[in-house]
Amino acid sequence: MDLDEVIEGLELLKPWIPEKARKAIIASQILSGNDAYERVRPLADVVRAIIIASGKGIASLPESEELEGEIYLGDVMLGELKLGEFRLKRDDLIKGVTIFAPSGHGKTNLIMQFLLELSRLNIPFTVFDFKQDYRHLIRKIPNLVVLKVEWLRCNLLDPPPNVNRFEWLMEVANLLPYSWGFFHWGTGSYLTDMLMEAFNQKEDLTLFDIYELVKQDDITSRRKADWHDVLESRLSSTLRTLGKVIATKKGYPIYKLLKLPLVIELYNLREADAKLIVSWFLAYELHYRRANRHRGKLYHVNVIDEYHRVVSRQHEWSEMTKEMGDSIIERQAREFRDFGEAGIYAFQEISRIHHSVIENSELKICGNLSSWEDIEVAANSMNLKEEEVRTLDHLQVGEWLVKRRGGSAFILRTPLIELRKDLGDEELQELMKDWIAEISSYDRERIILSEEEVAALQVLSRYPFASKSTLYELLNGLGRLERRVKALRLLIKKGLVREEKVFVYSTRPTEFLIPTEKGLSFMKASGIEIKVWEKVLKSTKQGHGFKHACIIYHAWRELNKLGRAWMEHRVGEKQLDVFAVINGIKLGVEVYVNPKVDWKKLSTALRALDLLVIVSYDAKVHERVKNEVMQVGSLLEKIIFYTSPPPFFKDLKRGLPFLYQIRWKMPEIR
Ligand SMILES: Nc1ncnc2c1ncn2[C@@H]1O[C@H](COP(=O)(O)OP(=O)(O)OP(=O)(O)O)[C@@H](O)[C@H]1O
Ligand SMILES: [Mg+2]
């Protein structure tokens, strides 16, 4: 008997004949020529015939002990023949599971099978659900808790129990840049500075405090200004969508959630915000387990379907990664198992996932991959033989090629979970109402507004550049003046609105009201439209704050009464604050709150204009602006300077008297 044939035949009988016995057969074959194989050969022939008949090729068959464990996942198949059941050991689960297959192959269904088993075994889990798939499992797991992310009231800056506050803030300083995708070390370290400053100033911090600090920070250099702008805009947009969720003082403690069978719905979140939530939970778990010496057994399972949404391969090679070290996502793949935190991750394209995540997973479950690139990466990372790779192509929906590290690859068929997918938002809210109430009871600073205050916010939401006195007029539907004054005063006191004084029409400053981040996040949550403000605040970030935007808005309004005017209009290479055409005269207006002038660009605009009005915010700014502007040379004669806004607005009201005088004048100061 040919020895190769014996080895090949015994390989087919792995599920039935233990390894020791197979070795004994081979040994006796070699040593004594005793044909022990003959006795099992008919069985091997049957198995081979089944494989050929199935036309699917063959994965190597698993040893019987590889199939033993607590977590039932489905049946091991040989063609249409069921060889046995596959149960995963808890310990293997701790070491990580990755599932990769194209859309519609059954990843979500397989994860549900996992969850049914975890729930049967009372193992807590957290599913991060981007597609509202898992809420329906409540029909099969009655104690399942399903929370929309917006129902959470937690505090990102609260450390887990027994974790040092400083250490935790450093972790936050590390995870925020990853979630937000700062591709610059400078912004990251600027954030760290801000967190440290806040740490020294007060306890009970929230991200709202950090945002206020950043806003008030003096910008000393150009470089710092860039970091500042990036950080400020990230903080503000995140706080606007997730304000209460991540920045509730003394919020709901996350470790309580880790004891539940839990689904957190991240439906409709922007990628950066979803990443923030996921990395926050993961970092929290790591610090929590470590500080509380949780080790040596399985405590909790993280489940991330659509994993590519939180970790992508681009990260791996980015400058940021080189400069800042590993993200929590990578550390998770390596460190979590030590602390009894398991992970099940599913995604479509293996070639786009950070390789350490795949390398570090103990069990890999692979579906019918479509691209060559994916097949190659999968084959490498699973260490597949050629004939095993060929089986990939034959896998049907719900069938998988499964391999443990160092184990054999076999084919698994998972059961289809019959589930009605009809759980709507209202029913969910009703089912979860106790949880929602419990969590929001932690939000001690619940903002409750009177009818007048809400009305005031509604008016403010529509008229960003209306002065305080104009707002009082707009609110006259509310009755007596005292009531209107009181409503606005209370909004300021509650921190939803702040005042800013701007010199516009008169030598006494005009008062304006601006919603704070807290205010915007509240307005958004209560259905008040904030688009107008988002636009204003976005443009003020690029420019020079609210003052600048406010002055150019009013200049635009007044100029429109005299002719036609446009805000932020490009002339030559210059984006002019206001451009107007009045009686055929082309007029530009530039407002300087900071003395930052690009005179070269300005001169390209000057060539196309008849007249440029430069309005500085005060005499000091004017001196510096003028020095810069001098460099435009002979074009200077087209410029009229104002040392502050009030005289300019006075002239505007009078119809810009200089327009009616001679067109070309010597530069003059008014
Ligand atoms: N084990 C199975 N047996 C039979 N049919 C299945 C099985 N698993 C899934 N299916 C079928 O395939 C469909 C898609 O499954 P599922 O939603 O789990 O795929 P998916 O891989 O998560 O897809 P996507 O990447 O688009 O989320 C299911 O609606 C179901 O009809
Ligand atoms: Mg899915």
Side-chain angles (χ1 to χ4, degrees), residues 103-109 111 131 133-134 305-306 346 348:
S103 174
H105 191 82
K107 297 182 292 296
T108 300
N109 179 78
I111 291 181
K131 298 200 322 202
D133 282 325
Y134 292 90
D305 197 348
E306 308 277 306
Q348 293 180 10

Side-chain angles (χ1 to χ4, degrees), residues 333-381:
R334 290 194 306 268
E335 296 174 31
F336 270 45
R337 61 186 63 177
D338 297 340
F339 301 105
E341 280 288 339
I344 301 174
Y345 311 119
F347 41 87
Q348 293 180 10
E349 290 161 280
I350 186 172
S351 53
R352 284 179 47 197
I353 296 292
H354 203 297
H355 88 281
S356 74
V357 173
I358 322 257
E359 291 312 308
N360 284 299
S361 66
E362 171 74 13
L363 184 75
K364 300 182 177 81
I365 303 181
C366 175
N368 190 332
L369 298 179
S370 44
S371 90
W372 273 112
E373 205 185 348
D374 285 338
I375 291 173
E376 202 179 327
V377 177
N380 270 330
S381 77

Side-chain angles (χ1 to χ4, degrees), residues 400-411:
W400 313 86
L401 189 67
V402 176
K403 192 162 192 282
R404 282 184 47 218
R405 197 200 305 268
S408 17
F410 57 88
I411 288 170

